[in-house]
Amino acid sequence: MTDWTDAARKLADEVTAAAPEWHDSVSSTPRHQLVPRWWEPIPDSYPFAWGLRTPQPDQPWAEVYADETLVTRVGSLHADSADSSDRPTGLPTSSSTLPGLIVRMLHLLNPDEQNRVLDVGTGSGYSAALLAHRLSDEQVTSIDVDPYLVDAARSRLAAFGRTPRIEVADATGSLPDTDYDRIIATVSVRPIPSAWLDALRLGGRLVTTITGTSLLISAEKHADGVVRGRVQPDPATFMRTRRETDYAARLDHVYGAARDQPGDETRQLTGPLPDLWEDWQLRCLYELDSPDIENRSATREDGSQLLWLLAADGSWARADSETETVRQSGPRRLWDDLERVQAKWTAASRFPLQTMTVELTANRNTLTSPDGNWTLEL
């Protein structure tokens, strides 16, 4: 059996090619001590369920040191407190994010040895460990809303000599201290909390993702107090901030009506059915325009497709490529909103989202298209 350091070094070689300054941190951090076990989806389960995983005896480091996200908590059940018979069916509420994404964000953050860094979303403690190794324990503060996650991360980090400050705090509320050179968030937010902007020093940098989208932004605080930056290439997604032990349930009750009911409006589908999973840029623009719309899709055996849009107010839309129809119901016309966004983006030559600029103040957060003609508020 090889030592864990060989696996960690191999992971570092893989994920730090474009960020060599983080190689030593990745190769020196025992991820297996931070994530002793985790949840994995059970194939073909219905309702969708999770099963407990632990390292395989013959390859104990293979999965822990892979560039993969390891889900550590589902609903209110953390893997630490579970046994092999548990089959939770909720949404993930905590994880150890894939190391390659963490390294990419840390590279964007670009802290130096004198910077004070706030790590929002402690989770397993992995990002705090990387930061503390490269900077120092004293320069890193990490926060999480979940007391158990904070206690577990603090204890596990200390076991291999890392002692950053780790506190229980609501990321959307007051922060421990108010003077940071860098803020990195591995939870998504919308809008950017004003406390983050206030706590960031002039010249300081913020790296975070936007709730409900796959948009990763990097921005710096200017002399006028405005934090400006841009969307980064490639999608990145994190769980949204939460105050409860679990997230709100999915809109199954709306989906029940939307699956096969006639609705109160039927019209022809005017173009190809969009794939909101593959076309993540359209999905992000739609979410920015019309927040919190849940989408689900299905493919029939003959290859024809269905797409549902669902809203908490009971509105829904169902598009069917076989019949080339769209059916809608409820107080809002969700498909009309999607078509409007798609048409506006097409008219703007479907600009890449990484060309959008970001401007953040305490009163307003905006993303603006490269031609300046389309501004979306967070």
Side-chain angles (χ1 to χ4, degrees), residues 275-337:
D275 185 331
L276 294 182
W277 180 251
E278 289 294 329
D279 195 349
W280 65 270
Q281 296 189 95
L282 174 59
R283 175 168 47 83
C284 290
L285 289 171
Y286 181 47
E287 169 63 26
L288 290 170
D289 178 89
S290 303
D292 298 320
I293 303 303
E294 187 177 303
N295 70 84
R296 304 188 188 187
S297 60
T299 302
R300 299 186 182 96
E301 290 185 2
D302 64 3
S304 61
Q305 297 176 314
L306 292 157
L307 175 62
W308 293 271
L309 304 175
L310 315 170
D313 66 1
S315 300
W316 58 262
R318 181 178 74 252
D320 188 334
S321 69
E322 181 182 45
T323 61
E324 297 185 343
T325 59
V326 176
R327 296 181 182 274
Q328 301 187 91
S329 188
R332 300 162 61 188
R333 292 295 176 258
L334 304 184
W335 194 262
D336 294 0
D337 291 338

Side-chain angles (χ1 to χ4, degrees), residues 50-295:
W50 302 80
L52 193 62
R53 287 298 302 271
T54 56
Q56 299 300 305
D58 57 336
Q59 293 182 306
W61 318 124
E63 292 172 296
V64 178
Y65 290 94
D67 188 23
E68 299 288 346
T69 292
L70 302 178
V71 172
T72 53
R73 177 171 151 163
V74 173
S76 60
L77 183 58
H78 198 285
D80 292 347
S81 306
D83 61 47
S84 58
S85 65
D86 286 318
R87 297 290 186 270
T89 58
L91 296 172
T93 49
S94 188
S95 68
S96 179
T97 301
L98 68 162
L101 176 54
I102 296 297
V103 168
R104 179 157 67 100
M105 294 175 69
L106 291 173
H107 183 63
L108 285 171
L109 197 70
N110 192 28
D112 64 36
E113 286 73 10
Q114 286 73 48
N115 285 163
R116 295 185 68 238
V117 179
L118 177 65
D119 169 48
V120 181
T122 304
S124 70
Y126 187 71
S127 55
L130 299 184
L131 282 162
H133 182 274
R134 179 152 182 249
L135 306 179
S136 75
D137 294 318
E138 293 74 22
Q139 289 168 252
V140 178
T141 297
S142 185
I143 62 171
D144 202 291
V145 73
D146 191 312
Y148 176 77
L149 296 178
V150 166
D151 290 343
R154 185 187 292 127
S155 174
R156 288 168 176 168
L157 286 164
F160 56 89
R162 294 265 63 96
T163 57
R165 180 183 181 186
I166 307 179
E167 302 288 344
V168 177
D170 178 355
T172 63
S174 300
L175 302 175
D177 297 333
T178 56
D179 200 17
Y180 297 100
D181 301 285
R182 300 287 189 271
I183 299 176
I184 181 172
T186 53
V187 293
S188 65
V189 288
R190 182 179 181 184
I192 309 302
S194 59
W196 297 14
L197 307 179
D198 292 340
L200 194 63
R201 290 176 176 171
L202 292 181
R205 184 171 299 166
L206 165 69
V207 177
T208 188
T209 53
I210 307 303
T211 295
T213 76
S214 300
L215 301 183
L216 173 65
I217 66 169
S218 176
E220 295 185 359
K221 191 169 186 176
H222 291 251
D224 59 2
V226 179
V227 179
R228 298 185 179 89
R230 63 188 321 108
V231 174
Q232 297 300 308
D234 302 323
T237 303
F238 285 96
M239 300 170 199
R240 66 179 64 200
T241 53
R242 58 181 172 84
R243 293 178 179 173
E244 307 300 328
T245 57
D246 201 353
Y247 295 109
R250 299 184 75 203
L251 300 176
D252 289 343
H253 63 292
V254 183
Y255 179 60
R259 281 193 66 180
D260 51 21
Q261 294 298 308
D264 52 34
E265 177 190 284
T266 303
R267 62 182 180 81
Q268 288 299 114
L269 187 63
T270 57
L273 203 64
D275 185 331
L276 294 182
W277 180 251
E278 289 294 329
D279 195 349
W280 65 270
Q281 296 189 95
L282 174 59
R283 175 168 47 83
C284 290
L285 289 171
Y286 181 47
E287 169 63 26
L288 290 170
D289 178 89
S290 303
D292 298 320
I293 303 303
E294 187 177 303
N295 70 84

Side-chain angles (χ1 to χ4, degrees), residues 361-374:
T361 69
N363 298 319
R364 194 175 187 225
N365 292 186
T366 59
L367 292 172
T368 302
S369 62
D371 61 9
N373 292 329
W374 194 2

